[in-house]
Amino acid sequence: MSLTTTKRFTVDEYHRLGELGFFAENERVELIKGEIFEIVAKGKPHSVCLTRLYRELFKLMGEQATLRGQEPIIISDNSAPEPDMVIAKNTLDDYLANHPQPLDILLLIEIADSSLKYDQEIKLPVYAEAGISDYWIFNLLDNCLECYSEPYHDLKGNFGYRRKLVFLANESVNLPCFPSLVLDLSKVFPG
């Protein structure tokens, strides 16, 4: 009887595959716990929400932090996701030398419609395990913002967040990294 195993990739191997042209130029993928996942194509509501979010965060943040949209972050030796938006600490080289790592990340944001289950069940524990303190999901199916904070590790080895707050599309929310800054969600959610 032969056993089969799945090949798990490191971040370095994953980047090498990209350099070798393994992925098609328009193919969007990310590495999560050594597995390569194809990123679901964005629909119009997702794109509109991301555009509005970027515009509102840029107005609020100015140059207080670095906004990165759909760019890689490195959260372990085998995970390099590409979240929809990251608010990261400023660096002199704007992350030319290295992609942001968990200690650099002030707030991580995903926008979810068809990817909601993936963002809640696959990515959420990975982000919690990495110690990312604040994780938001713009839930376009239920028209609300899910705000997760206080990562934990339970006795069974599971990772998650202790707190989940939900804000409706017509409400406002303070940015956890800059509590005096308030994001008006009605200016972010589509239609």
Side-chain angles (χ1 to χ4, degrees):
M1 179 177 179
S2 68
L3 296 174
T4 59
T5 59
T6 302
K7 165 66 175 149
R8 302 238 180 232
F9 296 93
T10 66
V11 169
D12 290 339
E13 291 169 332
Y14 171 69
H15 286 153
R16 184 73 179 128
L17 288 173
E19 291 167 6
L20 294 171
F22 183 78
F23 308 113
E25 197 167 308
N26 62 346
E27 188 175 19
R28 294 205 53 232
V29 294
E30 62 186 354
L31 184 69
I32 304 289
K33 293 204 159 253
E35 294 184 59
I36 299 171
F37 287 86
E38 189 169 1
I39 298 172
V40 179
K42 298 183 296 283
K44 286 182 186 174
H46 183 287
S47 295
V48 168
C49 186
L50 182 59
T51 298
R52 290 177 174 182
L53 176 63
Y54 189 83
R55 180 176 39 233
E56 292 306 310
L57 288 176
F58 185 77
K59 285 192 292 189
L60 285 173
M61 302 292 309
E63 295 187 19
Q64 296 179 73
T66 299
L67 297 177
R68 290 175 52 99
Q70 300 177 332
E71 300 294 334
I73 60 173
I74 306 299
I75 57 175
S76 70
D77 289 339
N78 64 1
S79 291
E82 295 188 16
D84 287 310
M85 182 69 66
V86 167
I87 299 176
K89 296 175 184 174
N90 287 329
T91 62
L92 293 176
D93 70 350
D94 289 320
Y95 296 99
L96 180 62
N98 296 300
H99 292 299
Q101 297 179 13
L103 290 176
D104 302 314
I105 297 168
L106 302 172
L107 175 61
L108 192 148
I109 302 169
E110 296 286 2
I111 298 169
D113 41 23
S114 60
S115 67
L116 182 61
K117 187 172 181 171
Y118 176 67
D119 291 334
Q120 291 171 330
E121 297 177 10
I122 303 296
K123 285 187 159 184
L124 184 145
V126 170
Y127 294 152
E129 182 177 2
I132 300 205
S133 60
D134 290 283
Y135 173 44
W136 287 5
I137 299 175
F138 278 84
N139 178 338
L140 299 182
L141 298 179
D142 298 320
N143 225 27
C144 66
L145 172 64
E146 301 174 8
C147 300
Y148 298 90
S149 61
E150 299 178 22
Y152 72 84
H153 180 199
D154 71 16
L155 297 175
K156 294 181 181 180
N158 300 312
F159 291 89
Y161 287 92
R162 292 182 192 280
R163 296 187 56 172
K164 175 185 175 184
L165 294 173
V166 175
F167 293 87
L168 304 179
N170 63 345
E171 296 181 320
S172 294
V173 61
N174 295 76
L175 295 178
C177 43
F178 298 94
S180 64
L181 300 180
V182 179
L183 179 64
D184 180 351
L185 298 178
S186 68
K187 293 181 178 180
V188 177
F189 278 94

